[in-house]
């Protein structure tokens, strides 16, 4: 299950809740630089990571594909597991090219207006999640992010990889919609 969408949609929180509430769903396995530095350095030098988070956690194609089978081996029951990838748009593009042959169910998380994106981005600036560099202004950062978001929305509409769209107005109803999309993976 590929869950993607622009910044400020609440995607991270929705995916985290989804994983907590359904034990049939698992996160991909990351290579941790701190616990397996040699493997991390080897994969990084070969440019095999699809994404590196916080300069510490590397995601590979195998980390996604192996997560479902490893989770089944770890469990007592033989329930089918589905890997949920929380992906920014750049990672979603890489996965659509890299995971050929795998069944990929796409869910796009969005908002219903540019005004709502602006409101949420302003809140991220206010609480420090989005930093305004010294050489820029609050307004220039907002305009730049809105331009990026519009490009990302264009990709979401034109890529053909997203079967479901969740407009995250209300976290409770949005989580319910995301769960319905996740259940589609088991059909």
């Amino acid at each position: 299950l590929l869950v993607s969408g622009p910044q400020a949609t609440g995607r991270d929180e929705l995916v985290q809740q989804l994983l907590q509430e359904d034990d049939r769903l698992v996160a991909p396995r990351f290579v941790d630089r701190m616990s397996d530095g040699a493997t991390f350095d080897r994969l990084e030098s070969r440019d095999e990571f699809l994404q590196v988070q916080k300069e510490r956690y590397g995601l590979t194609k195998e980390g996604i594909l192996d997560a479902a089978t490893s989770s089944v081996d770890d469990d007592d029951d033989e329930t089918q597991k589905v890997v949920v990838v929380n992906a920014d748009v750049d990672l979603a593009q890489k996965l659509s090219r890299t995971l050929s042959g795998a069944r990929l169910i796409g869910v796009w998380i969005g908002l219903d207006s540019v005004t709502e994106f602006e409101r949420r981005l302003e809140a991220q600036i206010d609480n420090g999640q989005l930093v305004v560099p010294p050489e820029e202004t609050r307004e220039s950062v907002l305009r730049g992010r809105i331009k990026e978001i519009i490009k990302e929305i264009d990709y979401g509409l034109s890529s053909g990889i997203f079967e479901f769209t969740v407009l995250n107005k209300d976290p409770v109803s949005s989580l319910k919609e995301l769960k319905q999309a996740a259940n589609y993976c088991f059909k």
Side-chain angles (χ1 to χ4, degrees):
L1 182 68
L2 171 64
V3 184
S4 187
Q7 176 184 353
T9 58
R11 181 188 77 239
D12 296 340
E13 294 82 4
L14 288 172
V15 169
Q16 188 175 33
Q17 286 180 304
L18 181 68
L19 288 167
Q20 289 173 351
E21 294 185 17
D22 191 336
D23 61 357
R24 300 173 303 163
L25 305 173
V26 296
R29 298 198 181 229
F30 288 82
V31 178
D32 184 349
R33 181 187 302 261
M34 301 308 241
S35 63
D36 193 358
T39 300
F40 188 97
D41 291 342
R42 178 177 47 81
L43 293 170
E44 187 174 47
S45 70
R46 294 180 181 172
D47 199 28
E48 292 185 32
F49 286 127
L50 298 168
Q51 182 182 58
V52 175
Q53 296 176 355
K54 301 177 184 175
E55 298 181 17
R56 178 175 172 183
Y57 303 102
L59 179 64
T60 63
K61 174 183 174 181
E62 293 75 19
I64 296 169
L65 297 175
D66 294 346
T69 55
S70 299
S71 296
V72 169
D73 294 342
D74 294 344
D75 283 350
D76 293 333
D77 62 2
E78 290 297 317
T79 306
Q80 177 187 4
K81 300 288 183 177
V82 169
V83 179
V84 179
V85 180
N86 178 11
D88 60 20
V89 176
D90 182 53
L91 179 57
Q93 291 172 331
K94 288 178 186 175
L95 291 176
S96 69
R97 293 187 305 265
T98 307
L99 293 180
S100 59
R103 182 174 178 217
L104 194 63
I105 307 295
V107 181
W108 182 261
I109 306 292
L111 299 174
D112 62 353
S113 71
V114 172
T115 305
E116 183 61 18
F117 275 107
E118 288 173 340
R119 189 186 69 72
R120 291 190 184 191
L121 287 169
E122 286 174 347
Q124 287 184 344
I125 289 172
D126 291 342
N127 69 26
Q129 285 180 293
L130 182 59
V131 177
V132 177
E135 66 277 1
E136 292 192 48
T137 65
R138 178 186 181 100
E139 186 64 24
S140 69
V141 169
L142 283 171
R143 291 298 124 225
R145 278 304 299 141
I146 292 297
K147 281 183 180 180
E148 288 176 39
I149 286 169
I150 290 170
K151 287 179 188 174
E152 291 172 345
I153 291 170
D154 183 52
Y155 172 78
L157 292 170
S158 65
S159 67
I161 64 170
F162 299 102
E163 290 90 345
F164 299 92
T165 299
V166 175
L167 296 178
N168 190 12
K169 298 178 211 173
D170 168 54
V172 174
S173 61
S174 296
L175 181 60
K176 182 179 178 184
E177 290 178 49
L178 185 55
K179 285 179 180 178
Q180 289 171 343
N183 283 330
Y184 184 77
C185 295
F186 296 99
K187 293 182 179 186

